[in-house]
Amino acid sequence: MEVLVKDIIEQGQQCLKQCGVADWKTDSMLLAEYFLGVTKKELLLKPDITVNSGQKEGYMEAVRRRCSHIPLQHITGIQEFMGLEFEVNENVLIPRQDTELLVELVLAFLKKSPKENRVLDLCTGSGCIAVAIDKLCENAKVTAGDISEKALETAVRNNRKHDASVTFVHSDLFERITGTYDVIVSNPPYIKTDEIKGLMPEVKNHDPILALDGDADGLEFYRKISERAPDYLKPEGALFYEIGFDQGKAVREILAQNGFSKIEIHKDLAGNDRIVFAKLERK
Ligand code: GLN
């Protein structure tokens, strides 16, 4: 039996709205694209488009899963980041749009020097930062580390999916990292332990805690990385962090204590402090 797509989407929207899914409208359409193979544009051009009842059931099952606050990206298994599609699952943080600014700033820095640049990405998770830099910068040679073997398995698949050539290292921060780098970049866990319980269910129940928890004050990883980074940075090298909206001042202090100067803080699209850039003061 054929069913009108617009009716199915309408039904999906009602369910998602009732369950308190914030982006119910967008999500109903994204699930339709994925499970019914119909884009918003097609639907606008052909409002009488139909699918069979099996497809409808697949869509409604996905809607039910989304209603239980499973993130959309875990239902589809993908998230777009820097124009590239990444596999995601419960072992990796879903790439966020804010993190694109981190990659954009690293790319702009790398573009200034035409030589081969060595880049180190710590806490790589899905590998989205490392793979995006590898694909979007011709002169970058990227190494990426993570403490989670499961995350690294996903990162390796993402590297393969994009035919990128990132080298992955199973490492607790710098533990197994060797050599020196032109850029060290990291989006480490930075949520205060106590604040995790107040996050959206999609985040606190489905993103790995390991990727969120920045210890009591949320700053533990900035302390650990900033302390050791000088040993792994080339003289003109730079460190780039993603930070929480209220961590700019504290992270600046941590960096200054560890010999960094020329510290810049960049704001995200919402006007919040989001990215920190720092270089070492060389005498
Ligand atoms: N930006 C993420 C969030 O808001 C946190 C990511 C992180 O801790 N690095 O949930």
Side-chain angles (χ1 to χ4, degrees):
M1 196 182 73
E2 291 294 306
V3 197
L4 279 171
V5 166
K6 68 172 170 33
D7 289 348
I8 304 175
I9 292 176
E10 168 67 27
Q11 205 176 323
Q13 286 186 351
Q14 290 310 319
C15 294
L16 293 167
K17 202 175 167 183
Q18 269 167 22
C19 298
V21 172
D23 296 322
W24 53 273
K25 226 172 182 166
T26 316
D27 286 8
S28 67
M29 203 56 235
L30 289 172
L31 288 173
E33 273 182 37
Y34 195 81
F35 289 93
L36 304 176
V38 179
T39 65
K40 190 168 184 174
K41 186 176 161 199
E42 282 167 338
L43 197 60
L44 288 168
L45 291 171
K46 277 170 77 184
D48 56 354
I49 204 162
T50 60
V51 291
N52 64 43
S53 51
Q55 286 172 291
K56 177 186 172 180
E57 205 24 65
Y59 175 80
M60 289 313 292
E61 173 56 22
V63 165
R64 281 191 285 277
R65 296 186 71 207
R66 186 70 194 92
C67 276
S68 67
H69 293 272
I70 295 174
L72 180 91
Q73 296 88 339
H74 286 182
I75 299 170
T76 60
I78 50 172
Q79 170 64 41
E80 186 266 352
F81 180 79
M82 296 297 294
L84 303 167
E85 190 178 273
F86 286 89
E87 172 194 331
V88 294
N89 53 52
E90 67 287 355
N91 298 310
V92 299
L93 185 90
I94 297 170
R96 313 285 207 254
Q97 204 189 359
D98 285 336
T99 309
E100 293 192 343
L101 178 60
L102 177 64
V103 174
E104 283 162 21
L105 291 170
V106 170
L107 291 175
F109 179 84
L110 294 175
K111 226 173 142 185
K112 284 190 227 153
S113 111
K115 64 171 175 55
E116 180 181 272
N117 281 288
R118 296 199 64 201
V119 177
L120 174 66
D121 173 29
L122 294 178
C123 311
T124 195
S126 66
C128 64
I129 295 172
V131 170
I133 293 172
D134 180 285
K135 292 310 289 181
L136 301 170
C137 179
E138 276 183 9
N139 58 340
K141 191 169 182 303
V142 187
T143 301
D146 205 285
I147 193 171
S148 158
E149 276 183 280
K150 288 241 162 78
L152 283 175
E153 286 168 13
T154 308
V156 165
R157 283 197 295 274
N158 279 320
N159 187 59
R160 205 177 302 137
K161 172 171 176 161
H162 293 293
D163 199 19
S165 39
V166 177
T167 304
F168 291 97
V169 186
H170 180 220
S171 176
D172 180 1
L173 301 178
F174 290 103
E175 189 191 15
R176 296 208 186 98
I177 302 295
T178 54
T180 53
Y181 296 85
D182 299 278
V183 163
I184 297 175
V185 57
S186 186
N187 173 19
Y190 58 68
I191 312 285
K192 292 181 188 151
T193 307
D194 279 356
E195 288 182 357
I196 292 175
K197 58 181 181 305
L199 299 174
M200 291 159 69
E202 280 82 348
V203 178
K204 69 175 173 194
N205 300 335
H206 298 280
D207 274 320
I209 293 293
L210 201 60
L212 298 172
D213 193 345
D215 217 349
D217 64 359
L219 300 166
E220 192 55 16
F221 290 84
Y222 302 116
R223 276 192 212 96
K224 287 183 171 165
I225 298 172
S226 306
E227 208 172 281
R228 309 251 353 243
D231 296 336
Y232 293 86
L233 272 179
K234 290 188 185 174
E236 285 309 306
L239 178 60
F240 292 82
Y241 286 140
E242 176 173 324
I243 58 165
F245 72 97
D246 56 355
Q247 294 175 326
K249 192 163 164 278
V251 174
R252 182 188 283 276
E253 275 168 25
I254 291 170
L255 286 163
Q257 280 162 13
N258 287 287
F260 285 88
S261 60
K262 201 176 183 294
I263 302 166
E264 291 169 11
I265 299 184
H266 297 262
K267 292 190 186 299
D268 62 20
L269 292 172
N272 293 315
D273 287 350
R274 187 61 61 194
I275 310 299
V276 179
F277 161 88
K279 283 182 86 168
L280 284 168
E281 197 164 10
R282 304 274 181 183
K283 303 249 158 55

